[in-house]
Amino acid sequence: MKPKSNSFKSGFIDGIPIGLGYLSVSFSFGIQAHAMGIPILWTLLISMTNLTSAGQASGIGIIAAGGSFIEMALTQLIINSRYFLMSLSLSQKLEGGFTLPHRLAASFGITDEVFALASSKNHKLAPKYMYGLLCAPYIGWSLGTFLGAAAGNLLPDMISDALGIALYGMFIEIVVPPMKKNLRLLAVVSLAIAVSCALYYIPIFDFISSGFSIIISTVIASLFGALLFPVQTEDPDDE
Amino acid sequence: MNNYLIYILVMAGVTYLIRMLPLTLVKGKIKSQFIQSFIYYIPYAVLSAMTIPAIFYSTPELLPSVLGLTAAVVTAFFTRSLLGVAMCACAATLIGELIMLLF
């Protein structure tokens, strides 16, 4: 029997493919954190409280390098600022029953994939549906992190290095498909890569840490895009 | 030990506020096309900058990560499957590492 479209069950079913994807990606995150010497339980706590791939990947880099708390806050702010737009967009799509406590709770789980799925629905979203949708991704992300951090001890380096690539695979999966139809996006991405490489390879920039390097590359490339190729009003994510 | 806790509180706190504030406070839409455009480009710029050049140093040799990157880009170009892209990237990296064993 098909569950009602706005039910908990319907949301749960929609979230399963995301959860499976997250299981593999967070496994990779767990391995990376283990390789950087972060203890398993702290790694698990990071995943259970953050639920964000790119932010966590840069975060463990900052922790491992002993970066400042300011650097950590700024890096998370820049890297995760995309959620600001996603939340903003989703706020237009919530049904009347979405009261303040529900908004406070559900906003915790907004990720790129959850956002993509939720905004593809052709009905307003009920709290029950959102909670159902968040279940599998949250479990997948936490469980995968734990398994990856634990298995990092057991797996040969060759296997764990190969699995570590999965995290980048997820980034690439988000960036590449929209570039097919959008050459301006390709220009912005190319600039971000060029700046990132320049900061990494040119010796005079050695004093810039990896977190700030990501911030600088992102701000320069996004400003370039906003100045030269402003997107047409409406919701940019709606395509 | 305590440092881990502070790092995680900072990470989780900032990340939660970013997600929570628009959903609870912002009623209307952002009007400035410039800010809209800036925010639109951020995810793509940030993920690209995080991937390159860092991915090249995630394996001891260059070849496996180059193969992994290539496989991920090709799979992402033709499919839209998170799991598929992740698995192809891992498999290609592993093949690269096996090739390196031959030298």
Side-chain angles (χ1 to χ4, degrees), chain A residues 20 24 37 39 42 46 49-51 54 56 58 63 66-67 69 72-73 76-85 87-88 91-92 100 103-104 107-108 110-111 158 161-163 165-166 168-178 180 182 185 188-189 192-193 196-197 200-201 214 217-218 222-223 225-227 229-231 233-236, chain B residues 1-8 10-24 26-31 33-60 64-65 68-69 72-73 76-83 85-87 89-91 93-94 97-98 101:
Chain A
L20 285 176
S24 62
W42 290 115
I46 292 173
T49 54
N50 281 265
L51 199 67
Q56 288 182 203
S58 65
I63 293 176
F69 298 127
M72 176 66 93
Q76 299 303 311
L77 184 65
I78 295 288
I79 291 181
N80 291 335
S81 59
R82 66 187 189 280
Y83 296 133
F84 189 90
L85 186 70
S87 280
L88 193 64
S91 73
Q92 320 287 314
L100 183 63
R103 286 173 186 245
L104 287 173
S107 58
F108 171 77
I110 296 167
T111 65
M158 208 169 81
D161 284 347
L163 288 171
I165 296 280
Y168 296 112
M170 173 158 156
F171 299 164
I172 291 162
E173 189 267 336
I174 293 171
V175 172
V176 170
K180 281 193 280 193
N182 192 339
L185 200 53
V188 170
V189 164
I193 291 172
S196 162
C197 286
Y200 189 91
Y201 291 111
I214 293 167
S217 313
T218 303
S222 301
L223 274 178
L227 287 169
F229 316 121
V231 289
T233 53
E234 297 309 312
D235 280 348
Chain B
M1 189 62 110
N2 259 336
N3 261 3
Y4 281 124
L5 190 62
I6 302 173
Y7 275 127
I8 294 173
V10 171
M11 279 174 84
V14 171
T15 306
Y16 178 64
L17 287 176
I18 294 167
R19 288 166 164 156
M20 183 271 282
L21 290 176
L23 209 62
T24 52
V26 182
K27 297 278 196 282
K29 284 194 169 171
I30 292 180
K31 297 222 169 63
Q33 193 189 24
F34 177 76
I35 294 175
Q36 254 192 7
S37 306
F38 181 71
I39 297 174
Y40 167 76
Y41 286 115
I42 282 179
Y44 306 107
V46 79
L47 295 176
S48 311
M50 285 189 68
T51 303
I52 297 173
I55 192 171
F56 300 127
Y57 304 98
S58 60
T59 53
S65 52
L69 173 64
V73 171
F77 192 88
F78 290 108
T79 69
R80 255 238 98 144
S81 153
L82 181 56
L83 202 57
V85 172
M87 286 173 62
C90 290
T93 308
L94 195 59
E97 286 175 324
L98 292 172
L101 286 181

Side-chain angles (χ1 to χ4, degrees), chain A residues 22-98:
Chain A
Y22 281 5
L23 194 66
S24 62
V25 173
S26 63
F27 191 85
S28 155
F29 168 76
I31 286 173
Q32 287 195 355
H34 174 263
M36 290 178 178
I38 299 172
I40 293 181
L41 288 180
W42 290 115
T43 305
L44 178 61
L45 189 63
I46 292 173
S47 278
M48 294 184 73
T49 54
N50 281 265
L51 199 67
T52 164
S53 57
Q56 288 182 203
S58 65
I60 56 172
I62 293 169
I63 293 176
S68 67
F69 298 127
I70 297 289
E71 180 185 356
M72 176 66 93
L74 273 178
T75 309
Q76 299 303 311
L77 184 65
I78 295 288
I79 291 181
N80 291 335
S81 59
R82 66 187 189 280
Y83 296 133
F84 189 90
L85 186 70
M86 296 178 190
S87 280
L88 193 64
S89 168
L90 279 185
S91 73
Q92 320 287 314
K93 212 174 156 58
L94 305 180
E95 68 167 35
F98 240 111

